[in-house]
Every structure is written in structure tokens, then in C-alpha cells.
Amino acid sequence: MFGKNKKMKTTDITYIASGCSITGETAFTGSALIGGTLQGNITAAQQITIEPEGAIEGQLCCQELTVSGLFKGQLQCERLVITATGTVEGDVASKTMEIFEGGQFIGARVKEEVNLLQELKTDNNLNKNKLFDGLELQAD
């Protein structure tokens, strides 16, 4: 036990401070704590936590998202937690979702990947005049 060099496993955590704003494609190799503003395409290998004054707008893919501030856009994650001060607006593809009293979810929850949903929206513009084009009815 003594005399052996043991390496401690540390988890990378990135902190975006309040007042800081980042726009563009962002990738986190570990977890991230967001107190400022992020816009664009964001990926994280682990958890992202949005603080009460923090905000993310765009497309996000991560293991777990905890929202105490604002998320607006398209989300793909394993687990979503919206706290009492959190707001999520947009399309969400998650295996589990937990919303605390006071938390707000405005949008749609889908089982498919968010990218698939986006492709379907552009391919299937629901024009009322063309909704049933190509549909054949058969009598039994």
C-alpha cells in the first residue's frame, strides 16, 4: 500500500463564467458548468449544467443536461433535469426527463434523434393543399 504511485482519476470540468459569451461549434471532453451564454452546435462527452443566469441556444448533444437557467434549441441526451428555475424550449430527444415544480418545458419530446426530426420537418412541409397528394383509398 505504501510506496506505490497511485494515479487519481480526475474529471475534466469546463466553466463558462457569467458575463462570458461563446458563439460557434463547441466540444467539451468532460463536463461543463455554464454560467454565461453559449450559442451554436455543442457536444459534451459527459454532463452539462446550466446555472440560473446561464443560457444555451442551438443544438446540444450530451450525456446529461441539468437546466437551472435557459436552454433553447434542439437537445439529444440520455437524461434531462429541469430544476425549479429552469426553462427548456425546443425539441428534446432524451431517455429520461425530470421536471421539478416551477420548471418549464415548452416544446416537443421525441424518441428519434433530433437530427432526424429536423430532416423530417424540412422534407414534409405540411401544406394543407398537398397533404393527401398521392394517397390512394381502397375499398374493402
Side-chain angles (χ1 to χ4, degrees), residues 90-106:
D91 300 324
V92 174
S94 67
K95 289 188 178 179
T96 62
M97 179 186 278
E98 183 177 1
I99 304 173
F100 287 80
E101 184 176 348
Q104 295 183 13
F105 174 61
I106 306 162

Side-chain angles (χ1 to χ4, degrees), residues 6-139:
K6 292 186 179 181
K7 291 184 179 180
M8 295 182 70
K9 186 176 180 180
T10 58
T11 304
D12 293 334
I13 297 176
T14 302
Y15 180 64
I16 307 298
S18 179
C20 183
S21 180
I22 297 175
T23 301
E25 193 166 321
T26 308
F28 300 104
T29 57
S31 296
L33 183 59
I34 310 301
T37 304
L38 281 179
Q39 290 182 330
N41 294 331
I42 301 133
T43 58
Q46 296 176 11
Q47 178 181 7
I48 291 186
T49 301
I50 303 174
E51 294 183 325
E53 64 277 2
I56 293 179
E57 185 173 340
Q59 293 183 333
L60 173 62
C61 181
C62 62
Q63 281 297 110
E64 182 177 330
L65 177 64
T66 301
V67 182
S68 295
L70 172 66
F71 174 82
K72 189 173 186 177
Q74 296 177 323
L75 171 65
Q76 181 177 349
C77 63
E78 293 290 317
R79 182 169 189 254
L80 171 63
V81 177
I82 304 172
T83 67
T85 59
T87 301
V88 172
E89 295 182 28
D91 300 324
V92 174
S94 67
K95 289 188 178 179
T96 62
M97 179 186 278
E98 183 177 1
I99 304 173
F100 287 80
E101 184 176 348
Q104 295 183 13
F105 174 61
I106 306 162
R109 184 173 178 196
V110 297
K111 290 186 178 185
E112 301 86 24
E113 291 184 1
V114 175
N115 292 337
L116 178 60
L117 179 69
Q118 186 178 18
E119 290 173 11
L120 289 174
K121 282 183 179 178
T122 57
D123 291 343
N124 295 330
N125 287 332
L126 294 179
N127 183 342
K128 290 182 181 180
N129 296 330
K130 297 181 180 180
L131 185 60
F132 297 108
D133 281 358
L135 182 65
E136 293 182 24
L137 298 176
Q138 297 177 351

